[in-house]
């Protein structure tokens, strides 16, 4: 599987394309985004990390050393951790609900609970 | 579904009188002539194909093992009052109120809102009927992430607010949704919303951010499409 191959031969490319980092930075700094951030959170957005990541990405492409890779990867891991900074109110499923794909019935019985 | 009338009222099914039987037979000429069914179907198809919000949710659900099929998982029906749509967990169906959705932008928003409920149903053990915290959480997420509370939509409702108004709107709309489908006092509903607000407002799955507009949603969709490369290179 492609994923196993990548893990065996070490990480070979940045998690996002460098253009993506730059476009995220520009998007973050845009007037609309600053407005939306104030509207949602009451603060200005913090965009510096995207710019740093862009430069790390360029550096990765030119000189793919372990420090450059680690700096960019750590930044992304921090970004992911920010998205998980809460305790869920529900338990996650291991499998999808059993009746998701079951056909509909007219006058269904009430036991089709997941 | 053999529920008693009392149960139907308790769980909001009375808002969707066509859940068990419609006025006209599905696919009949009478249905096309006397209802907005065809228009609803066309707008739904357009939303699924072009809205970055909907495309991302459909993709995320497919990845989670809940591929969505238009004919199985969506139903355009006439509904009571001003309700725009709903998610029926017992039949795993999203109901779209064809008599109350007349603009494509509204359809896009309703589809996104209900897909968020479906996504929660797919990825978590959500106890829709007995656990108010679960219901409140999904409503908070749906109001937060569907564009329901965008500045533009709030202004069109004459709700003017700026700093952190988005959060006020999300609270208010989640509360309204709960009160519409459950027989519970306003105080009790407010208490539950307060309890789970912080955690659920910060749960942005599967978007990874709050998509305030189409551009945000497109960025989120791009991230979703590149998720394999992303996770492989962390």
């Amino acid at each position: 599987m492609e994923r196993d191959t990548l893990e065996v031969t070490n990480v070979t490319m940045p998690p996002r394309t460098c253009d993506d980092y730059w476009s995220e930075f520009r998007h973050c700094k845009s007037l609309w985004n600053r407005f939306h951030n104030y509207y949602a959170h009451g603060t200005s957005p913090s965009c510096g990390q995207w710019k740093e990541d862009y430069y790390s990405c360029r550096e990765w492409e030119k000189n793919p050393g372990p420090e450059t890779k680690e700096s960019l990867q750590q930044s992304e891991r921090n970004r992911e951790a920010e998205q998980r900074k809460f305790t869920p109110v529900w338990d996650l499923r291991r499998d999808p609900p059993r009746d998701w794909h079951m056909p509909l019935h007219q006058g269904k019985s009430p036991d089709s609970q997941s | 579904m053999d529920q008693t009338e009392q149960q139907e009222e308790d769980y909001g099914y009375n808002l969707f009188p066509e859940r068990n039987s419609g006025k006209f037979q599905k696919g009949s000429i009478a249905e096309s002539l006397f209802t907005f069914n065809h228009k609803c179907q066309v707008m739904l198809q357009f939303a699924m194909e072009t809205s970055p919000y909907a495309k991302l949710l459909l993709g995320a659900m497919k990845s989670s093992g809940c591929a969505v099929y238009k004919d199985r998982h969506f139903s355009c029906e006439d509904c009571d009052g001003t309700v725009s749509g709903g998610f029926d967990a017992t039949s795993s169906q999203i109901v779209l109120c064809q008599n109350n959705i007349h603009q494509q932008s509204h359809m896009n928003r309703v589809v996104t809102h209900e897909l968020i409920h479906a996504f929660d149903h797919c990825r978590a053990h959500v106890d829709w009927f007995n656990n108010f915290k679960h219901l409140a959480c999904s409503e908070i997420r749906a109001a937060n992430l569907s564009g329901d509370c965008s500045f533009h939509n709030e202004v069109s409702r004459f709700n003017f607010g700026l700093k952190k108004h988005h959060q006020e709107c999300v609270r208010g709309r989640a509360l309204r949704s709960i009160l519409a489908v459950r027989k519970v006092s306003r105080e009790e509903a407010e208490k539950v919303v307060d309890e789970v607000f912080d955690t659920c407002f910060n749960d942005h799955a599967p978007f990874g951010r709050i998509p305030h507009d189409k551009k945000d949603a497109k960025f989120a969709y791009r991230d979703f499409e590149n998720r394999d490369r992303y996770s492989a290179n962390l």
Side-chain angles (χ1 to χ4, degrees), chain A residues 3 6-7 10-21 23-24 27 30 32-33 35-43 50 60 72-73 76-77 79-80 82-83 85-97 99-110 112-114, chain B residues 1-2 19-20 61 64-69 72-73 87 89-93 118 120-126 129 133-134 137-138 141 149-151 154 161-167 196 199-204 208-210 212-213 215-216 219 222-223 226 229-234:
Chain A
R3 198 196 175 114
L6 278 168
E7 280 168 357
N10 282 328
V11 162
T12 57
M13 59 177 102
R16 306 173 205 248
T17 66
C18 297
D19 284 347
D20 282 0
Y21 284 110
S23 65
E24 287 282 5
H27 177 68
S30 70
W32 265 127
N33 187 62
F35 172 79
H36 284 140
N37 212 78
Y38 186 76
Y39 178 69
H41 307 290
T43 57
W50 286 116
W60 182 326
L72 186 52
Q73 285 170 326
E76 288 289 5
R77 282 185 218 121
R79 212 169 258 132
E80 277 215 308
E82 277 295 312
Q83 285 294 314
K85 247 180 172 174
F86 60 90
T87 318
V89 306
W90 44 49
D91 295 326
L92 292 179
R93 288 179 188 268
R94 264 192 288 224
D95 302 302
D99 57 0
W100 182 257
H101 290 294
M102 271 166 56
L104 289 164
H105 298 293
Q106 295 304 115
K108 332 182 236 299
S109 74
S112 49
Q113 301 285 346
S114 46
Chain B
M1 188 169 22
D2 241 352
R19 282 278 71 203
N20 281 331
M61 288 182 70
S64 303
C66 296
V68 172
Y69 298 102
R72 166 62 180 86
H73 297 107
F87 174 64
T90 48
S91 60
S92 304
Q93 255 199 340
D120 287 340
H121 181 68
C122 175
R123 64 161 179 153
H125 290 284
V126 181
F129 299 104
K133 283 187 181 179
H134 288 190
C137 193
S138 194
R141 280 177 32 80
C149 286
S150 71
F151 180 74
E154 277 290 270
L162 266 184
K163 186 174 181 176
K164 281 175 140 183
H165 181 75
H166 178 84
Q167 295 187 35
V196 301
T199 201
C200 302
F201 185 76
N202 289 308
D203 181 356
H204 303 149
R209 65 184 84 200
I210 299 175
H212 292 284
D213 57 14
K215 194 157 185 216
D216 280 341
F219 272 74
R222 181 178 73 180
D223 288 349
N226 295 331
R229 168 182 169 149
Y230 183 80
S231 49
N233 290 289
L234 273 193

Side-chain angles (χ1 to χ4, degrees), chain A residues 55-57 59-60 63-73:
Chain A
Y55 288 124
S56 298
C57 183
E59 194 55 39
W60 182 326
N63 310 310
E67 278 142 13
T68 326
K69 288 185 184 182
E70 183 53 31
S71 134
L72 186 52
Q73 285 170 326

